[in-house]
């Protein structure tokens, strides 16, 4: 469903706003850009990264392709069926393929030369879409992850925490127990999605896989190796692996991967202008493919990574059940005090209250880094987030309260009745279990 009018912008590009139906029949909105030449031209559909992804975020890339004679379609990402807690790569791939069909149906576009460009999360989605349809003539990725989303995000956060001055113990908590908790509780969408099977199906589709040499969100060295090896196993003879000099995760200019140089503002943040030769590398490659001369497979030397990724351990049931049981154990004493008459020991009451706070804070602090980004770690004190110091203080208070409670019970020599022991057993077991659990979560480090 195309809008009735096209218009020329100040840059001399022809734009046409369109609506189309993506996966599940959802109506989406986008813009087709071209240089106005009669064609037939190759076409490319831009698949954005994670988050809301309005088309304006990719305006610089869209205009660069269009100026080079490649009709470009960029669309607003869906907000229905996509959120922080729900992501369906298959549905996003359906949206991308709907965009491919739209471009293939347009006059002035060579229907046999329409491909996909995927950025970051789009580096999972674009190969998936291409593996499911022979309509996709080629794939370009920038910042495409080679690992599953959870391992990739853990590396991203650890890298940014290190840049903020956060030490190794808390970084290990984020990449280890916190990541396990999110996955086992079902709070991290597509946590274990494996991109390898889809890459290995691209045996005939030319691929240009790029990473900024200062990528701090996706491990460029490891991801490039995974792409290269997977495409080689597929027998793909036209897979080019390259790096953008002076490029950040999105291929835009940066000095170190954490800043952006020049370019427009987007939601209050600077996007950075396109890194030198980034656009030329992509457009010349697409033009060569469209001309029937896809470049032969090659791999440029990879930049150094500050950190290697570490696999997130399995997602065992105890990752979420252990803190749940600790909370129940600590909370049982004050609840039982409301339901039954009998002596209430103030040291045990303090132990129960501090235990509940300590368990909640231990889980919440590193999880906040996943939810709000690495900025949730600020301010940093002694190589730790200030809130993590509070968590460690609570843990010490729990241990001290347990000792005080045990001493008070011994001095009072309570009658060994079932009622008394049933009230004390849950909080006692929780206090005993809290220590190894807190050590596992890195609270003692």
């Amino acid at each position: 469903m195309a809008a009735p009018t096209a218009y020329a912008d100040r840059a001399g590009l022809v734009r046409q706003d369109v609506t189309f139906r993506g996966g599940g029949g959802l109506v989406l909105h986008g813009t087709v850009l071209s240089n106005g030449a009669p064609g037939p031209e190759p076409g490319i559909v831009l698949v954005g990264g994670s988050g809301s992804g309005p088309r304006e975020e990719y305006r610089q890339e869209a205009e660069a392709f269009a100026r080079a004679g490649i009709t470009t379609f960029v669309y607003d990402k869906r907000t229905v069926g996509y959120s922080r807690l729900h992501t369906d790569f298959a549905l996003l791939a359906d949206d991308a393929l709907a965009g491919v069909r739209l471009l293939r149906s347009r006059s002035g576009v060579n229907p046999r030369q329409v491909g996909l460009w995927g950025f970051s999360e789009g580096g999972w989605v674009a190969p998936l879409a291409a593996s499911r349809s022979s309509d996709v003539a080629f794939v370009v990725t920038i910042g495409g992850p080679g690992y599953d989303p959870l391992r990739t995000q853990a590396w991203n956060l650890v890298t940014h925490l290190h840049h903020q001055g956060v030490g190794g113990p808390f970084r290990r908590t984020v990449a280890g127990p916190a990541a396990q908790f999110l996955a086992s509780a079902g709070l991290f969408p597509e946590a274990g999605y494996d991109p390898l099977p889809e890459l290995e199906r691209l045996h005939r589709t030319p691929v240009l896989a790029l990473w900024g040499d200062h990528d701090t969100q996706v491990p460029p060295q490891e991801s490039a190796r995974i792409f290269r090896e997977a495409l080689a196993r597929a027998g793909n003879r036209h897979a080019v692996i390259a790096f953008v000099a002076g490029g950040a995760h999105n291929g835009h200019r940066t000095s170190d991967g954490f800043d952006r140089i020049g370019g427009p503002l987007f939601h209050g943040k600077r996007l950075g202008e396109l890194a030198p030769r980034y656009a030329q590398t992509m457009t010349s490659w697409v033009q060569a493919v469209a001309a029937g001369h896809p470049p032969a497979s090659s791999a440029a030397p990879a930049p150094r990574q500050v950190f290697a990724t570490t696999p997130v351990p399995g997602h065992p049931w105890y990752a979420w059940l252990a803190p749940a049981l600790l909370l129940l154990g600590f909370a049982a004493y004050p609840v039982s005090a409301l339901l039954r008459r009998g002596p209430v020991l103030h040291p045990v009451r303090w132990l129960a209250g501090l235990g509940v706070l300590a368990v909640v804070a231990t889980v919440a602090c590193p999880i906040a880094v996943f939810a709000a980004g690495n900025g949730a770690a600020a301010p940093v004190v002694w190589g730790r987030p200030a809130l993590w110091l509070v968590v460690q203080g609570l843990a010490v208070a729990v241990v001290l309260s347990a000792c005080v409670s045990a001493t008070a019970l011994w001095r009072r020599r309570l009658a060994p009745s079932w009622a008394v022991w049933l009230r004390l057993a849950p909080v006692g077991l929780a206090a005993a279990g809290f220590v190894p659990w807190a050590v596992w979560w890195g609270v003692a480090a």
Side-chain angles (χ1 to χ4, degrees):
M1 298 179 289
T5 57
Y7 58 96
D9 63 13
R10 295 179 180 178
L13 298 176
V14 177
R15 298 172 181 263
Q16 187 172 29
D17 294 330
V18 301
T19 59
F20 69 108
R21 292 195 179 274
L26 180 68
V27 175
L28 299 172
H29 306 274
T31 301
V32 178
L33 296 89
S34 70
N35 62 3
E41 294 182 340
I44 193 165
V45 177
L46 307 191
V47 182
S50 60
S52 57
R55 72 191 94 161
E56 183 63 20
E57 185 174 353
Y58 309 106
R59 177 177 58 82
Q60 293 182 84
E61 287 85 354
E63 291 179 351
F65 280 119
R67 282 193 296 267
I70 303 164
T71 299
T72 305
F73 180 48
V74 57
Y75 58 94
D76 295 331
K77 192 171 184 177
R78 65 167 52 236
T79 55
V80 176
Y82 182 90
S83 68
R84 281 182 174 270
L85 297 179
H86 177 76
T87 299
D88 186 340
F89 288 163
L91 193 59
L92 296 177
D94 287 342
D95 295 343
L97 290 176
V100 170
R101 289 192 294 272
L102 183 147
L103 275 191
R104 282 169 54 88
S105 68
R106 292 180 65 87
S107 61
V109 175
N110 184 342
R112 295 185 299 277
Q113 293 297 338
V114 175
L116 293 169
W117 173 92
F119 161 59
S120 193
E121 181 184 80
W124 285 306
V125 175
L128 171 60
S131 72
R132 293 166 52 181
S133 175
S134 59
D135 290 343
V136 179
F138 56 85
V139 171
V140 178
T141 62
I142 174 68
Y147 290 118
D148 60 79
L150 185 56
R151 181 170 178 173
T152 301
Q153 179 64 352
W155 183 87
N156 168 30
L157 294 173
V158 163
T159 300
H160 282 75
L161 289 169
H162 171 73
H163 179 69
Q164 287 186 301
V166 176
F170 184 75
R171 299 200 306 262
R172 287 190 290 272
T173 295
V174 169
Q180 281 185 284
F181 176 87
L182 286 171
S184 63
L187 298 176
F188 197 99
E190 295 278 18
Y193 175 82
D194 185 0
L196 282 179
E198 314 311 329
L199 290 172
E200 291 171 352
R201 292 190 181 99
L202 302 182
H203 53 284
R204 291 191 180 91
T205 307
V207 175
L208 171 63
L210 299 171
W211 290 266
D213 63 0
H214 292 306
D215 195 331
T216 59
Q217 293 176 253
V218 164
Q221 185 182 83
E222 294 177 66
S223 295
R225 174 183 55 78
I226 291 169
F227 268 64
R228 183 185 73 248
E229 293 175 353
L231 292 168
R233 286 194 299 271
N236 193 316
R237 299 168 60 186
H238 303 289
V240 175
I241 308 297
F243 299 89
V244 179
H249 177 53
N250 61 355
H252 294 213
R253 288 185 62 201
T254 182
S255 65
D256 60 359
F258 299 98
D259 64 1
R260 299 293 184 269
I261 301 173
L265 291 174
F266 180 75
H267 287 181
K269 295 183 179 180
R270 192 162 297 282
L271 288 175
E273 60 191 29
L274 301 186
R277 299 189 62 80
Y278 168 46
Q280 182 183 353
T281 298
M282 294 191 295
T283 56
S284 61
W285 183 87
V286 171
Q287 289 166 341
V289 172
H293 306 293
S297 293
S298 63
R304 186 182 70 89
Q305 278 182 208
V306 176
F307 294 111
T309 65
T310 54
V312 176
H315 312 146
W317 53 268
Y318 59 78
W320 65 266
L321 185 59
L325 290 176
L326 289 175
L327 284 175
L328 288 174
F330 283 123
Y333 186 78
V335 171
S336 66
L338 295 175
L339 300 178
R340 292 173 176 270
R341 292 183 178 180
V344 175
L345 301 176
H346 292 290
V348 180
R349 178 187 290 177
W350 274 100
L351 170 61
L354 288 169
V356 169
L357 285 176
V359 172
V360 171
T362 299
V363 174
C365 185
I367 296 302
V369 175
F370 275 93
N374 56 83
V380 177
V381 181
W382 300 327
R384 300 171 176 83
L387 288 177
W388 194 242
L389 288 175
V390 175
V391 172
Q392 292 179 313
L394 284 171
V396 171
V398 169
V399 174
L400 292 176
S401 293
C403 294
V404 171
S405 298
T407 301
L409 288 171
W410 181 77
R411 287 177 175 174
R412 292 192 62 168
R413 302 184 187 277
L414 294 177
S417 67
W418 281 106
V420 171
W421 291 117
L422 282 175
R423 290 180 59 194
L424 294 175
V427 68
L429 291 173
F434 175 80
V435 174
W437 178 81
V439 170
W440 178 52
W441 271 75
V443 175

